[in-house]
Amino acid sequence: IKGAIVNIKTGELVSEKHRIPTPKGAKPNDVADVIAEMVTFFKWKGEVGCGFPSIVSRGKILSANNIDKSWKGLQADELFSERTGLEFHIVNDADAAGLAAMTFGAGKDKEGLVIMITIGTGLGSGMFYNGTLVPNIELGSVPYKKYKYFEHYAADSARKREDLSYKKWGKRFNDFLKFVEFLASPDLIILGGGASKKIDKFKDQFTVNVPVVASEFENEAGIVGAAIASARKL
């Protein structure tokens, strides 16, 4: 779990990133303890933005594909606020990463449809039309072949779990990109998350007719975007 203080006018971090290991099982009360520890570390007294790996509606967690099932239906903004005494604004983590890219990065001033894909344990997706967020577009959660979700087939966790080369995994990820292209016909696809830093190892497998670029923010995108979400009270 990572945090930092962000200058929302420039998108720059004005503190070092602070990391605290995710508690085993990552259940709500344990995560809330870490959030409180993070706030205390920064001596922060203002509003807090938080990117969360779930469908989020008005601070409520609506899905639990990659997290403990006890999160589903929980009003997480209230839980974190009660634990810290601060106001929280919680958004889907891929939406947060997309907000950073659309405000300060590869998607800045981009008209039309832009889709942010975050590659990690799952496949997060954020959709923007003429710069406006269309929240909670969970393309990685669509079923695919024998897999329960597309992300079980093509996320970076699948590469690690099945010990795939970047070439073989890149072909899988390209299948996902082709699905995104067929579904939405985007004008631009931006890749974020940990694996985006290694795009040169698998971009040769891409066959889509859409520009695909890596986010300049890499692992800072979620932090910057969460701060933007807080400022905009999303």
Side-chain angles (χ1 to χ4, degrees), residues 5 17 28 45-46 51 84 93-94 107 113 115 129-130 133 135 139 143 173 175 187 189 217 224 232:
I5 300 173
K17 280 189 294 187
K45 300 299 181 183
T84 63
D93 54 353
L113 187 65
I115 293 181
Y129 186 69
N130 289 340
L133 172 65
L139 301 180
F173 186 72
D175 289 338
D187 297 287
I189 295 174
F217 286 96
V224 174
R232 296 180 184 176

Side-chain angles (χ1 to χ4, degrees), residues 12 14 38 49 59 63 79 83 121 151 167 184 186 212 220 230-231:
E12 297 175 328
V14 295
M38 186 76 71
S63 64
L79 172 65
R83 199 63 58 92
T121 303
E151 61 188 11
K167 181 176 181 179
V212 181
E220 293 179 1
S230 176

Side-chain angles (χ1 to χ4, degrees), residues 96-108 116 190 215-217 221 225 228:
L99 283 167
M102 296 301 294
T103 306
F104 299 111
K108 185 179 180 180
M116 177 84 181
I190 304 173
S215 171
E216 298 95 325
F217 286 96
I228 294 169

